[in-house]
Every structure is written in structure tokens, then in C-alpha cells.
Amino acid sequence: MNVVFAVKQYVSKMIEDSGPGMKVLLMDKETTGIVSMVYTQSEILQKEVYLFERIDSQNREIMKHLKAICFLRPTKENVDYLIQELRRPKYSIYFIYFSNVISKSDVKSLAEADEQEVVAEVQEFYGDYIAVNPHLFSLNILGCCQGRNWDPAQLSRTTQGLTALLLSLKKCPMIRYQLSSESAKRLAECVKQVITKEYELFEFRRTEVPPLLLILDRCDDAITPLLNQWTYQAMVHELLGINNNRIDLSRVPGISKDLREVVLSAENDEFYANNMYLNFAEIGSNIKNLMEDFQKKKPKEQQKLESIADMKAFVENYPQFKKMSGTVSKHVTVVGELSRLVSERNLLEVSEVEQELACQNDHSSALQNVKRLLQNPKVTEFDAARLVMLYALHYERHSSNSLPGLMMDLRNKGVSEKYRKLVSAIVEYGGKRVRGSDLFSPKDAVAITKQFLKGLKGVENVYTQHQPFLHETLDHLIKGKLKENLYPYLGPNTLRDRPQDIVVFIIGGATYEEALTVYNLNRTTPGVRIVLGGTTVHNTKSNLKSTGQFPRGSSGFRTAQQKQGELSSYSEVHKQTVNLNRRGERRRRVRRPAQLALNLPAGFPHRPQVLEESLGFHACPYNPPPGSLLTPEL
């Protein structure tokens, strides 16, 4: 189960289907991000795609010598833009791919607008999510709920993204959800309803052990997104922010113009791929080795070109030398900025106390250390507030709780009111009253013994003691010990055997620390494949931004009328849409949905579209050739 491979396969197939010749790739805001995560511009250029445009751009030129590949989300806005495009086509022929299910009425509107018969085909390719890592995906939705209730538009988008993920991985799963979360139950019902309605699409080859979808809620573990991180990818996101693999370095003191924005992609950066899960100390050592390798190669490239052979060797090696130079400059700049921020904000000391608050149960020591750091002028108001939030979550009901005193210390330190208000907001969001689990107290003899032995032996690294609650949840799930009274199945069926293919989705956002947990479980647990997803991938700032939108005193339940409206908001999914053949001819023969389902290639989840008989269009399903995915450049 590799989400990067799945999305890249779709993009490759789109380009291949359009045939030879110069092409333009026409996208919207979301699909631009989806494609950019799996393909570099140089890779697509090699496949004769020479122009990249947004469907909402008003200043595009007429270029009849180009074929248009349209990859769009099936939104009303995009359909309207596409109708305008087809009425006055700027390109010779259009291959239209929607990233999810497109309604019958929308396709009818497109067919009516295609008076010049420039549309070669319309299909659904289910790449409707951001593939971050091979085992991690995101929907880039920040603030998906109104209090504890779903925003209806975001529920629809999340349902579409999650069902697209399942289709692209060819999984028809059994579903479990977190019982303490009404939002998790609602999303589980929505996904199940789409699977039931679109049963033809989910008819994949049955496996001995059915795949499993586990839906969780961020509020069950509000601790993990608050912690400083010390592995490379997670640390970069925490301190600098990663947005679709891009890092904004424009605020770095003395930064050069060409390094104001850099891209960190494991698909195209060998150093990053090899180091993204290593801790900060190891990164420093490996950066040094990278610099030494670069210095060894550098003099050779600067030798005098005294012969044709010398010139030829220089030309052949220059692209690799230039790429290595760019890699060195990028990572030295990023690691240097991380090091500066760690020193400037006293993050080693701050993180040590964070880990104590998250992993230990010594209230007196924790309180003393938090108070000490609140008096330290190097500790920023952001980090000071974060420490108090961690204290408030852990010792919320402790008999000696000193939260009022810490709040006064924040005020005396000059911490702004917006940060002080977030302390109560985070407790309202993820406090003991709403959690379905106990984050801080071991619940059985084995866990208590492990914690005791860990305390005797100490830990290998005081900055990475914490393990997300997801680790315990998945460990129990893999061993068949996850309690059904806390994580029930949706429907009457249950899984008798231990699951092998697991998709975990966290409402409210996942984190890179949890992605590292999944990576390690995949690596160390034979026969188990896990993919993690979330409405977004959080760092502390994005998590608190979401929490700041969380109104106090909100209910976790909806009325029956609200529930019914929510379920129907996304369920009008239609099966019959249009597909023109490549010459734009309209044929009279129609495949019925039952017949069409038999022609869907099992190895490639997609759907060619069929419009109702009154419009008389003909569907053209295809069978993709094997090995259609290109190997990324390193």
C-alpha cells in the first residue's frame, strides 16, 4: 500500500492516454498540489507536457497546437469553468479526468457545452488526496469541525477523499471507529454509505483477511501535536512548516534569493529520503559527510579543460554536480536554521520538560520545572504557553493542580491573551472529559511494569521518550486486542483474524511523529501494511489554530434531523456520465451500469463515464499496460 505510487500511476496514465504530441496540463488549486507531490516538473516535461495552467486563470492564450489534459476536482466551480472552456476551446482536444465521482447532471452540462466536439474522453481517476509519504496522506483541511460537530462541506470533502484513497489502493474495508467521538461515527457512516451505493467500484479481488479502516479523533490525543520534534522531517515541519513539500525560508537571516523557498521530497532527494526519520544529532553528522563528499568531487569539476575528452566529461558530469551542489546548499541552510532556532529559543531545555510532562507522573517536579522555564527570558511566549497547555492536560484533575498560578505566571511574563486563552481551549478540546482513553496512566499490569522498568533503566534519548497514543492503539489492533467496546465495528460483521492491511484516518489531523510510528510498525511487523491519513498534517501552530476555532461548551451530538441532512449532503452520487471517443464522434450504443461494471479493469481503479441513452454517448473502458509508472529521478 503506497499512496505516492497510486497517485503517480494515475497521473502517468492520464499523460499516456493523450498519446504523442505537445500537451498542456490544466488543473485547479487542489489538483495542482496533488500532482506536485508525486511528479517534478522535469519529469513531466520528459513526457511532452510543456505547459501547466490553472483552470481559473483568465489570461490563458489560445494554443490549438496543444492537447489539453484536464485534472480537476468535480466541484461546481470547476464544472462551470470547464463549460466556459468548452464553449470557446483554447486547445485542439481535451482529455478530462475528475479526481472523484462526477454527477450525471454536471456531465450532461459538459456534453451540451461541447458543441465543437473537442472532448476525447471524460473519466474518473481517484487521486483526490495529498500523498505526503508512501504511508501518509492528507486532505489539507484545517478546521474540519464546528465545535465537535462536522462542518457539512468538510464532511463531504473528507468522505470523498477517504473513499478515493480506498479506491486508489483497491480496498473495500471493514470499518471500526472511536466510540467516544460522534464525528468518527458520522464519518464511518458516510464512508459506509458511499461503499454501499458505489458497490460496483469496490468489487476488488477478495483477500483472506479483509482490509480494515480505523477512524480516530484528534481530541483523543491532544498531547502529540503539542510536542517539539527531533527527527528531521517532523522537526522541519514543527519549526519551519512544510506545505506540499515546500519550505518557506524567506525569513531566515541573510538567506540568498534562490533559497528563499526549497522543496524537500523523498521521491527526488536521496539525502532527505535517507535521513527524514533520523534524529537531529545524526543529521548533523550526515550533513558533514555530505559536505565532505561534495568537496572531494568539486576540484575535479574545476580542472582545466585541455582536451575534447575533458570537455565531454565535464558536460556529462555537470548536471549531477549541479544537482549535488543544490542538495548540499539546501540541507546545510535548513539544518543551519533549525540549529539557530533551537539555540535561540532554548528548545533543548524546553523539550526535556515537555517530555517529562507527557511521559512522567511526578507532579511536583513537573510544576517546578515549568515555573523555572516561565522565568527564563529565552523561552518565547509561544513555548511558555505550550508548556502550560501540557501541564493543564496532564494534571487537569490532580489534587494539587496549580494551573491558576501558572496562568498568572504567563500574564506576568507578558504572554499575549490569545495564547493564554488557548490553554482553556485545549483542555476543552482534548481534556479528560472528552477523551475515550487515558493518556497518562497505565491501565494494566504489563503496562505498569514496562513503565517501572523504563524508569529504572532511563531512556536512550530524553527528547524522544514520548510515543503517540496511536502506537498503543495499533499495537493492540495488530495483536487482536483492541477492545470492541471502545472501537466498535460499523455493522454486524467483525474481523476474526488479525488485520493485515490497515488504513488509519485521524479526524482533526495526523502528525509526523505518528507517521514515524506507522513507518516503524511497517518496518518491524511482517505481514502488516499500514497507511495513515488525516484531515491535515499538524505542527503545533496549525493544531492550535484549529483549537482556537473550537468554541467552549460545544456539544458532541447532533439532532436526528441534522444527522439525516448530513448523510444526504454527499450521497447524491450518480453512476452515468459521458465519454466521447478520441475523434469526438457521438455513438448511439450505450453500456448500462451493470454491463459497464464487468468491463472495469481490476488492476486499475477508475471509471469511464456513460451518459443516459437520451444523449447517446458511448463509454470506452481501457486496460492499462503493466509498468506504466515511471521511476523518479534521484
Side-chain angles (χ1 to χ4, degrees):
M1 298 203 299
N2 184 327
V3 296
V4 173
F5 179 90
V7 176
K8 192 163 188 175
Q9 188 179 20
Y10 279 135
V11 178
S12 297
K13 185 60 188 173
M14 293 176 206
I15 299 172
E16 290 171 9
D17 273 2
S18 63
M22 299 199 307
K23 310 169 188 72
V24 55
L25 187 55
L26 204 57
M27 299 170 286
D28 59 38
K29 182 179 180 180
E30 288 191 65
T31 56
T32 299
I34 291 169
V35 173
S36 69
M37 293 292 284
V38 299
Y39 256 115
T40 63
Q41 188 170 342
S42 60
E43 284 179 316
I44 293 188
L45 282 171
Q46 292 174 4
K47 300 173 85 69
E48 298 184 294
V49 179
Y50 298 111
L51 190 61
F52 309 88
E53 293 279 11
R54 285 271 295 270
I55 188 71
D56 55 353
S57 175
Q58 301 297 321
N59 300 317
R60 288 184 285 114
E61 298 178 13
I62 296 176
M63 297 184 177
K64 293 292 186 178
H65 60 290
L66 296 180
K67 300 176 181 179
I69 303 171
C70 304
F71 182 43
L72 307 168
R73 292 208 69 250
T75 64
K76 184 180 184 304
E77 183 181 26
N78 285 340
V79 170
D80 290 342
Y81 280 127
L82 203 49
I83 288 172
Q84 296 174 24
E85 180 76 20
L86 295 180
R87 284 174 178 164
R88 296 180 180 83
K90 296 180 175 63
Y91 312 108
S92 61
I93 191 170
Y94 288 76
F95 296 84
I96 301 174
Y97 302 92
F98 289 103
S99 64
N100 219 302
V101 172
I102 179 75
S103 73
K104 172 181 169 182
S105 58
D106 284 340
V107 177
K108 181 177 179 180
S109 299
L110 292 175
E112 291 171 349
D114 186 27
E115 295 177 354
Q116 300 186 38
E117 298 188 357
V118 293
V119 176
E121 61 185 24
V122 176
Q123 298 197 48
E124 293 169 355
F125 277 9
Y126 303 104
D128 205 17
Y129 54 89
I130 298 290
V132 182
N133 295 337
H135 60 278
L136 176 64
F137 70 96
S138 168
L139 302 181
N140 280 6
I141 299 173
L142 190 62
C144 58
C145 294
Q146 300 169 345
R148 298 199 186 282
N149 299 320
W150 274 102
D151 178 310
Q154 303 300 3
L155 174 62
S156 175
R157 175 67 185 98
T158 304
T159 303
Q160 291 170 351
L162 192 47
T163 51
L165 180 281
L166 295 172
L167 285 168
S168 67
L169 296 179
K170 297 182 287 186
K171 304 298 177 186
C172 182
M174 301 182 72
I175 302 175
R176 299 182 72 172
Y177 63 93
Q178 180 182 315
L179 182 63
S180 62
S181 169
E182 187 70 12
S183 297
K185 182 179 181 181
R186 189 69 65 244
L187 179 60
E189 292 171 343
C190 292
V191 172
K192 182 64 175 179
Q193 188 175 24
V194 171
I195 291 174
T196 302
K197 284 182 173 291
E198 299 291 344
Y199 66 92
E200 294 168 345
L201 293 177
F202 285 89
E203 286 184 345
F204 302 117
R205 181 176 58 86
R206 293 185 181 275
T207 56
E208 186 176 342
V209 181
L212 181 71
L213 169 63
L214 177 63
I215 300 177
L216 307 175
D217 196 319
R218 179 76 275 160
C219 67
D220 209 40
D221 177 10
I223 292 290
T224 298
L226 291 176
L227 299 174
N228 270 295
Q229 301 297 317
W230 295 98
T231 53
Y232 194 23
Q233 184 183 43
M235 193 176 182
V236 169
H237 189 45
E238 179 62 31
L239 298 182
L240 301 176
I242 302 175
N243 181 19
N244 289 355
N245 284 346
R246 297 179 181 275
I247 295 91
D248 182 4
L249 298 176
S250 60
R251 297 182 181 179
V252 175
I255 192 72
S256 61
K257 187 175 181 180
D258 57 336
L259 288 173
R260 288 180 180 175
E261 184 181 76
V262 299
V263 175
L264 292 182
S265 170
E267 293 294 301
N268 304 286
D269 185 333
E270 187 176 6
F271 180 85
Y272 184 59
N274 293 335
N275 290 273
M276 59 195 296
Y277 299 123
L278 300 184
N279 65 49
F280 192 50
E282 293 173 293
I283 297 300
S285 173
N286 291 343
I287 282 283
K288 181 181 177 183
N289 294 335
L290 183 67
M291 284 287 294
E292 289 175 351
D293 290 343
F294 177 68
Q295 291 297 332
K296 289 176 183 177
K297 295 181 180 180
K298 189 174 180 180
K300 296 179 182 179
E301 308 300 335
Q302 294 180 340
Q303 292 175 352
K304 293 182 179 180
L305 304 178
E306 297 178 346
S307 66
I308 296 296
D310 291 339
M311 294 179 188
K312 183 179 179 181
F314 177 81
V315 170
E316 289 175 350
N317 294 328
Y318 183 73
Q320 288 79 9
F321 171 75
K322 187 177 181 181
K323 183 175 181 179
M324 187 175 184
S325 174
T327 300
V328 171
S329 300
K330 174 173 63 179
H331 288 289
V332 167
T333 301
V334 170
V335 173
E337 178 61 9
L338 295 178
S339 181
R340 184 186 72 83
L341 291 172
V342 167
S343 175
E344 185 180 90
R345 291 168 52 182
N346 199 31
L347 289 182
L348 287 171
E349 194 173 356
V350 169
S351 180
E352 187 174 353
V353 176
E354 288 176 3
Q355 294 290 318
E356 180 185 4
L357 286 166
C359 305
Q360 308 300 326
N361 288 309
D362 188 341
H363 175 264
S364 178
S365 173
L367 179 61
Q368 182 180 353
N369 286 329
V370 172
K371 282 182 170 290
R372 175 175 51 82
L373 284 179
L374 293 186
Q375 305 303 318
N376 189 329
K378 290 186 69 176
V379 175
T380 65
E381 63 171 357
F382 177 75
D383 293 319
R386 169 163 43 186
L387 287 168
V388 176
M389 290 175 206
L390 289 167
Y391 174 88
L393 285 169
H394 191 154
Y395 298 107
E396 179 184 356
R397 297 186 180 179
H398 195 276
S399 58
S400 301
N401 182 288
S402 297
L403 184 58
L406 293 177
M407 294 299 291
M408 185 59 67
D409 289 343
L410 287 180
R411 181 188 292 270
N412 294 338
K413 185 179 174 64
V415 174
S416 62
E417 186 180 7
K418 70 174 183 178
Y419 286 127
R420 299 202 308 271
K421 283 184 176 180
L422 283 172
V423 175
S424 58
I426 199 73
V427 174
E428 182 76 19
Y429 174 74
K432 194 172 182 66
R433 183 177 64 85
V434 297
R435 288 198 301 266
S437 60
D438 193 339
L439 282 176
F440 303 106
S441 300
K443 293 169 283 298
D444 54 55
V446 175
I448 293 171
T449 303
K450 283 183 178 179
Q451 189 178 70
F452 176 71
L453 292 175
K454 187 177 180 181
L456 288 177
K457 295 178 181 177
V459 290
E460 185 178 344
N461 188 333
V462 295
Y463 305 111
T464 56
Q465 300 176 57
H466 176 259
Q467 280 190 331
F469 186 67
L470 180 66
H471 181 276
E472 180 182 323
T473 303
L474 289 176
D475 184 59
H476 287 166
L477 179 63
I478 292 167
K479 294 176 180 177
K481 297 180 180 179
L482 191 64
K483 295 180 179 179
E484 288 189 35
N485 63 327
L486 298 178
Y487 301 91
Y489 287 88
L490 189 69
N493 297 325
T494 59
L495 202 60
R496 296 180 180 179
D497 301 301
R498 295 180 182 182
Q500 296 177 348
D501 292 342
I502 303 169
V503 176
V504 184
F505 188 82
I506 303 179
I507 300 166
T511 66
Y512 281 117
E513 185 182 357
E514 289 161 332
L516 175 60
T517 292
V518 169
Y519 169 79
N520 286 329
L521 284 172
N522 283 332
R523 190 167 52 88
T524 59
T525 315
V528 173
R529 295 168 293 275
I530 308 171
V531 167
L532 172 66
T535 46
T536 190
V537 179
H538 274 311
N539 57 16
T540 301
K541 288 182 179 178
S542 66
N543 180 55
L544 293 180
K545 187 176 180 180
S546 295
T547 304
Q549 300 170 350
F550 186 83
R552 299 188 64 180
S554 55
S555 168
F557 301 94
R558 286 183 181 271
T559 64
Q561 291 85 352
Q562 287 173 318
K563 176 178 176 180
Q564 184 60 39
E566 209 172 54
L567 289 174
S568 62
S569 66
Y570 66 90
S571 62
E572 294 303 318
V573 183
H574 303 279
K575 286 184 168 58
Q576 293 182 318
T577 43
V578 64
N579 191 320
L580 307 182
N581 71 3
R582 296 194 178 193
R583 291 175 294 173
E585 295 173 351
R586 306 187 179 195
R587 299 184 182 179
R588 292 293 173 185
R589 188 161 61 88
V590 178
R591 294 182 192 266
R592 290 298 176 200
Q595 295 173 306
L596 178 62
L598 298 176
N599 290 294
L600 287 172
F604 198 83
H606 78 295
R607 180 162 61 177
Q609 302 303 314
V610 184
L611 195 62
E612 61 185 2
E613 189 172 4
S614 61
L615 290 178
F617 290 138
H618 170 66
C620 303
Y622 63 86
N623 290 285
S628 59
L629 181 64
L630 293 181
T631 302
E633 296 174 344
L634 294 179

